[in-house]
Amino acid sequence: MDGKASIIIRTKNESKWICQCLSAIENQNYKNKEIILVDNESSDNTVEIAKEFNVKIITYQSEGIFKPGMAINLGIQESNGKFIIIISGHCIPINEEWLTNLINNLDDPKVAGVYGRQEPLSFTSDFDKRDLAITFGLDKKTQIKDPFFHNANSALTRKIWEKFPFDNDCTNIEDRIWGQQVISNGYKIIYEPESSVFHYHGIHHGRNELRAQRIIKIMESIDNKKSDKDIKKISIAAFIPIRGDLINYKDKFLLQNTIESIKGIREIKDIVVSTDSEYTKEISKKLGITKVIMRPKNLSTSFVGVSDVLKFTLMKYEELYSKLDFIFLLEETYPFREKEEIKEIVNLIKTENYDSIISVNHETSGAWIKDSEKITRIIDQNFMPRELQQNSLNIARAGYGTI
């Protein structure tokens, strides 16, 4: 194909690799090319080495937050070629046909971009060698649904870039975001294994878990597919354990506040009262609770914990009705629960892999302490000296007051 190729190289302290990278690019059999190096404020001699080659050097100032799409766009803006080639500063083209093999795929106007193979070096870690072998195979392929694209070794036309520039704001996987855009607009992506580079650290950046978490969040935000939790609708019920009779305050049962806090949240399929009181059962049904589970008296003694009650209630519920994925523990003695708080927890259940979620609020409470026959009330423990806090706890346990 005819036309100038603008090769955009992003660097950050690549003095170990940049000479080999630029030498391999200069030796390509495709001669109509220019090289633009976009350097992210390298502190080594990357730029000094690059100046020995016929390269236009641009400094990208990340201000502490590197944005790969912005760096690429900056380099392209300074170029004038028909074809845009993107390569990392630590990637080394394996042979003289690398550039030609990339560009040859861009003759089809429906091809948005091409990415090439990446191979490990002898000292690359076994993890990276495995991942590169799995990701970059020997067979050429055309992607019409899969948005995978990798800018360590890729090419596109200026015409496509003008229509779909890279995201200026993302901090990771600008290539995958771009791939999703072009695929969604009916374009194709080509994987060309005959255009290969050495890439010493592979594609997973040393198995950095924090980076992986950020990437997955971005991928999930652009992925239109339903998550696995949408395939099987999550089954959630609210359990309200009540020992004895309901609490009535100013002609209103506190249970009503709890019901109102979760009413209308469609993900909660059932509200279940677990009680030992026939009176509570009767009133609960009048308040619209259709499922009341009576628990034995031995689960209503003062030394029985709520976990035992929940275990019994869950067992009986699944025996009588259906299996549950999650349960909400709600108690009538906390009447000021906000509906938005419940919705937020439901959203976390749907989007995060949590086993349990506990809602907490910062509270301060009063304490009574005994001081020289005089009772003094401390309104906020947070303003008490550390030794006084401990004394107030000891005094409260001794029966002088409560905290």
Side-chain angles (χ1 to χ4, degrees), residues 108 220 307 391:
D108 183 349
E220 289 178 344
S307 59
N391 286 341

Side-chain angles (χ1 to χ4, degrees), residues 211-376:
R211 179 184 172 89
Q213 289 172 355
R214 290 197 298 263
I215 289 173
I216 288 300
K217 284 187 181 296
I218 297 171
M219 291 176 67
E220 289 178 344
S221 70
I222 64 174
D223 191 353
N224 294 323
K225 295 178 182 179
K226 291 187 176 181
S227 70
D228 56 351
K229 289 179 178 171
D230 291 319
I231 296 171
K232 172 183 175 291
K233 194 170 182 179
I234 297 174
S235 181
I236 307 174
F239 284 8
I240 308 172
I242 301 173
R243 185 171 64 182
D245 294 343
L246 291 169
I247 299 172
N248 189 311
Y249 179 73
K250 291 188 177 181
D251 297 323
K252 183 178 180 180
F253 293 105
L254 294 188
L255 176 61
Q256 290 174 261
N257 296 73
T258 299
I259 294 171
E260 288 166 7
S261 70
I262 53 177
K263 186 177 277 187
I265 300 178
R266 58 184 177 82
E267 290 88 351
I268 299 180
K269 60 178 288 187
D270 268 330
I271 303 175
V272 182
V273 167
S274 173
T275 185
D276 58 353
S277 166
E278 290 292 338
Y279 173 76
T280 295
K281 176 181 178 181
E282 179 185 345
I283 300 300
S284 296
K285 292 196 170 183
K286 287 182 180 180
L287 294 175
I289 305 296
T290 59
K291 293 181 174 63
V292 179
I293 292 177
M294 299 298 294
R295 64 178 190 253
K297 295 292 183 182
N298 67 316
L299 286 180
S300 294
T301 55
S302 59
F303 56 83
V304 173
V306 70
S307 59
D308 293 318
V309 174
L310 289 177
K311 183 177 180 180
F312 171 83
T313 306
L314 177 61
M315 181 184 68
K316 293 300 292 184
Y317 180 92
E318 294 189 334
E319 179 185 313
L320 295 170
Y321 305 109
S322 62
K323 297 292 184 182
L324 292 172
D325 296 309
F326 289 90
I327 60 172
F328 269 92
L329 167 62
L330 306 173
E331 299 189 66
E332 63 165 347
T333 51
Y334 189 83
F336 304 113
R337 189 181 295 105
E338 297 290 337
K339 186 182 289 285
E340 291 305 314
E341 186 178 355
I342 302 296
K343 288 181 179 178
E344 185 176 350
I345 292 174
V346 170
N347 185 57
L348 286 171
I349 288 172
K350 293 168 66 177
T351 59
E352 304 289 345
N353 187 32
Y354 294 137
D355 293 317
S356 58
I357 301 171
I358 301 172
S359 176
V360 297
N361 286 313
H362 175 71
E363 292 185 358
T364 57
S365 56
W368 293 94
I369 64 171
K370 188 175 182 180
D371 181 17
S372 302
E373 305 300 328
K374 177 182 174 183
I375 301 293
T376 305

Side-chain angles (χ1 to χ4, degrees), residues 76 98-100 106 110 122 171-172 197 203 216 313 374 378:
I76 296 173
W98 163 75
L99 185 52
T100 301
L106 296 173
K110 293 303 292 181
S122 60
T171 57
N172 298 97
V197 298
I203 59 175
I216 288 300
T313 306
K374 177 182 174 183
I378 305 299

Side-chain angles (χ1 to χ4, degrees), residues 137-190:
L138 297 175
D139 292 321
K140 184 173 181 176
K141 62 181 179 179
T142 300
Q143 298 166 205
I144 58 175
K145 295 181 180 179
D146 184 0
F148 181 83
F149 194 70
H150 207 286
N151 273 338
N153 178 22
S154 66
L156 60 150
T157 64
R158 179 173 297 276
K159 186 176 180 180
I160 285 290
W161 174 78
E162 289 172 348
K163 191 173 182 179
F164 303 103
F166 292 97
D167 190 311
N168 271 327
D169 297 317
C170 65
T171 57
N172 298 97
I173 61 168
E174 82 295 334
D175 36 21
R176 249 63 60 87
I177 295 172
W178 183 86
Q180 182 69 60
Q181 277 187 301
V182 297
I183 289 291
S184 298
N185 281 275
Y187 289 89
K188 297 181 287 187
I189 293 172
I190 300 291

